[in-house]
């Protein structure tokens, strides 16, 4: 799946997809609560009211850069709270190469935040140790995000994630700690969208008079457009994440900006439109 924004191309590389099983992250989204949201079918919900979600990376090609935004869960990882995310043996790197992106060709990795399903392929297991998957890339991480998780010692899963997927690239000298408004290149810059985590960012693309936004996890699923107050169970600051959703959706509603969801399944991208006092995604 590809999208064109001026001279920029964005390509989706899927690691995992699921239907149902999303209540651990969005407990408010019961089948009864979402049943009337017919605009979510078939891409984001099935006929039984089960939400569809995806774990995928997005590759941004600009005239000068090859950027991977978020690196999914990764193979061979342990200590993950979702049991099926442990010890994966998936074809992600083969799929990436088949799409035309050999891992050696990537020059930038952008982590919207440092949760388990956004940093996993930062590293790969080689001869019993974690090494950078993208050896020719600079790994961009928001300074506030990195410093928060580096200092946190009361979250077992995040300690494991930091140890196997963040610290190895930092110790290899490949990490650039940047501000949440950092400009990556002429066409790509970061947008602070805090609340899900302390240093969470989204990725703005602007080229040839066209715009797109890669969400990260300030929104996990389009149902949160209808109900911005449905904070994720993983949100660091639910009140702030709700304010962020309302502000961003309000700013984008009715504009031609293409919104590309980091966990949106199916069509994955669309435009935000107003729907009464809330919003929906038109694909």
């Amino acid at each position: 799946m590809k999208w064109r924004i001026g001279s920029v191309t964005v390509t989706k590389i899927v690691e995992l997809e699921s239907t149902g099983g999303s209540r651990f992250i969005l407990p408010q989204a019961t089948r009864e609560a979402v049943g009337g949201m017919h605009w979510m079918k078939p891409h984001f919900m099935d006929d039984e009211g089960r939400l569809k979600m995806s774990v995928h990376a997005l590759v941004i090609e600009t005239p000068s850069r090859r950027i991977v935004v978020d690196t999914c869960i990764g193979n061979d990882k342990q200590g993950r709270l979702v049991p099926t995310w442990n010890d994966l043996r998936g074809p992600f790197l083969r799929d990436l190469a088949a799409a035309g992106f050999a891992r050696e060709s990537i020059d930038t990795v952008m982590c919207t935040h440092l949760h388990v399903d956004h940093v996993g392929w930062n590293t790969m297991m080689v001869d019993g140790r974690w090494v950078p998957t993208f050896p020719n890339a600079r790994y961009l991480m928001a300074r506030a995000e990195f410093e928060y998780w580096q200092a946190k010692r009361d979250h077992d899963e995040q300690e494991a994630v930091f140890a196997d997927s963040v610290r190895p690239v930092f110790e290899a000298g490949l990490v650039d700690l940047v501000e949440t408004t950092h400009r990556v290149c002429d066409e790509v810059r970061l947008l602070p969208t805090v609340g899900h985590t302390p240093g969470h960012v989204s990725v703005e693309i602007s080229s040839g008079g066209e715009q797109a936004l890669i969400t990260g996890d300030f929104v996990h699923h389009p149902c949160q457009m209808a109900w911005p107050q449905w904070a994720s169970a993983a949100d660091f600051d639910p009140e702030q994440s709700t304010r962020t959703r309302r502000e961003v959706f309000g700013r984008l509603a009715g504009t031609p900006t293409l919104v590309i969801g980091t966990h949106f399944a199916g069509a994955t991208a669309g435009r935000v439109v107003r729907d009464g006092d809330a919003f929906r995604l038109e694909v």
Side-chain angles (χ1 to χ4, degrees):
M1 188 174 287
K2 288 180 179 286
W3 302 271
R4 188 87 178 176
I5 304 99
S7 62
V8 175
T9 300
V10 179
T11 304
K12 174 185 173 184
I13 309 294
V14 175
E15 184 179 43
L16 295 175
E17 292 181 320
S18 66
T19 299
S22 57
R23 294 285 297 282
F24 78 98
I25 198 73
L26 287 172
Q28 313 93 325
T30 64
R31 295 189 191 188
E32 294 76 18
V34 302
M37 300 180 194
H38 300 294
W39 58 269
M40 294 203 303
K41 300 176 185 179
H43 298 288
F44 312 121
M45 179 176 73
D46 70 7
D47 288 337
E48 297 177 12
R50 297 181 301 172
L51 301 189
K52 298 179 179 181
M53 297 187 72
S54 173
V55 177
H56 52 257
L58 294 159
V59 183
I60 304 174
E61 290 181 278
T62 80
S64 63
R65 305 290 282 270
R66 271 194 169 185
I67 306 165
V68 174
V69 179
D70 290 338
T71 64
C72 304
I73 300 164
N75 282 358
D76 304 305
K77 304 296 166 109
Q78 300 291 334
R80 281 34 180 171
L81 295 181
V82 178
T84 55
W85 291 2
N86 286 284
D87 204 29
L88 290 181
R89 296 286 191 273
F92 178 82
L93 288 184
R94 293 197 299 275
D95 293 343
L96 188 69
F101 309 109
R103 62 186 183 87
E104 295 84 0
S105 73
I106 301 300
D107 55 56
T108 308
V109 174
M110 179 64 238
C111 301
T112 62
H113 61 299
L114 301 184
H115 276 170
V116 54
D117 50 334
H118 296 262
V119 298
W121 277 109
N122 283 0
T123 60
M124 55 191 294
M125 179 66 75
V126 177
D127 296 329
R129 67 188 187 97
W130 298 111
V131 302
T133 301
F134 305 98
N136 300 316
R138 302 302 302 177
Y139 288 69
L140 308 185
M141 302 175 186
R143 183 181 302 277
E145 182 79 0
F146 179 90
E147 291 177 350
Y148 176 80
W149 293 114
Q150 183 185 44
K152 196 165 181 61
R153 294 289 183 268
D154 60 351
H155 192 301
D156 291 344
E157 182 181 51
Q158 274 304 122
E159 283 197 58
V161 169
F162 200 91
D164 61 37
S165 300
V166 179
R167 187 176 294 119
V169 291
F170 182 79
E171 293 179 346
L174 298 182
V175 171
D176 292 332
L177 299 179
V178 300
E179 300 309 310
T180 56
T181 54
H182 178 72
R183 181 168 290 279
V184 181
C185 60
D186 288 345
E187 302 84 2
V188 180
R189 73 179 185 95
L190 305 184
L191 174 73
T193 46
V194 298
H196 181 60
T197 61
H200 187 280
V201 295
S202 301
V203 181
E204 288 189 326
I205 302 168
S206 181
S207 176
E210 299 179 344
Q211 289 77 39
L213 179 74
I214 295 174
T215 62
D217 279 6
F218 85 87
V219 53
H220 282 81
H221 190 276
C223 69
Q224 292 174 283
M225 295 182 180
W227 296 95
Q229 66 270 36
W230 283 1
S232 157
D235 283 354
F236 164 79
D237 184 339
E239 292 184 0
Q240 178 58 59
S241 74
T242 296
R243 287 194 294 271
T244 293
R245 281 186 291 279
R246 291 190 186 281
E247 188 278 323
V248 175
F249 299 155
R251 178 168 55 85
L252 294 180
T255 74
T257 299
L258 183 69
V259 176
I260 306 174
T262 297
H263 287 301
F264 294 3
T268 302
R271 270 83 182 178
V272 180
V273 298
R274 291 196 177 272
D275 189 358
D277 293 332
F279 311 90
R280 70 176 188 273
L281 191 68
E282 279 194 351
V283 300

